[in-house]
Amino acid sequence: MKIWFIGDIVGQPGREYAGEIIRKYAPLYQPDLIVANGENASHGRGITSKSAEELYDAGVELITLGNHTWDQKDLLNFIDHDQRIVRPANYPLGTPGRGYTICKVGQISVLLINAMGRAFISELDSPFRAIDEILLEHPSIHHVLVDFHAEATSEKLAMGWYLDGRVSAVVGTHTHVPTNDARILPQGTAYITDLGMTGPRDGILGMDRTGVLERMLTHRPARFEVAAGRRQFCSVFIELDDHTGKACSIEPFLQYEE
């Protein structure tokens, strides 16, 4: 089984470039499942039904979220009934939406879990315990993907080691900068600290430089807008054993406009 996992898609430039790259390379690489983090898909903050449908039309089959989950109010209109989209599982009980979803790839069940870190980013429940509870609920599913949306590399590495041998892959999102540490951990879990970002290449984490620099230089509020110009696409291909769910390989797949 081949999984194509795409890093944080930022704004319209990210949505459009993701669509272009998927349509160009999916026939060549023939992934069995395409997953993307879409928490920045609408104007760089959150996701709307229109943006989600655009990603689905492009070939994305499942969408994960993160700390900008609730930035677009439109999400509340569809998150409860769209089983293709998951928000962090460690939100409190009663939060709209779901922290995991299950899909079929051929005859194989695949469990996708989204969780958010706590170091420098949130005060949610423990992501480690939240994932433990989900795994206990689904002991018969061996193909398990985890998008860990977190700031600190130490927390992401801790999650990778904590889940090694219990899930198929742990991929980090949120920091928008791809890391050069894709590997298979000793017990068969594919791991990368951060997938990187899909969107404007010459902004700052996808946002126009002007507003970001103004805030950093003056410490005053500044409006952030999605950047324009050249784009980038960051992702990994992960191959899983059909029988055990353990990772056979993980390979970064990056594209940059010149």
Side-chain angles (χ1 to χ4, degrees), residues 1-3 110 142-145 168-169 188 190 238-249:
M1 181 188 301
K2 183 180 288 186
I3 312 295
V110 177
H142 304 298
H143 295 71
V144 183
L145 310 174
S168 305
I238 303 169
E239 289 196 37
L240 306 179
D241 183 278
D242 285 345
H243 300 290
T244 66
K246 292 186 181 297
C248 304
S249 66

Side-chain angles (χ1 to χ4, degrees), residues 41-43 46-53 72-75 78:
S42 296
H43 311 291
I47 191 168
T48 63
S49 58
K50 181 179 179 181
S51 296
E53 288 300 331
Q72 300 291 336
K73 293 181 180 179
D74 179 52
L75 180 68
F78 67 95

Side-chain angles (χ1 to χ4, degrees), residues 4 10 21 33 37 55 60-61 63 76 82 92 103 113 124 146 155 160 165 168 184 194 230 232 235 249 254:
W4 196 359
V10 179
I21 297 299
L33 180 65
N37 184 285
L55 294 179
V60 173
E61 295 164 276
I63 297 173
L76 293 172
D82 187 346
C103 70
I113 303 172
L124 296 181
V146 176
E155 192 176 20
S168 305
I184 298 177
D194 203 282
R230 299 183 300 174
Q232 66 182 48
S235 67
S249 66
L254 312 175

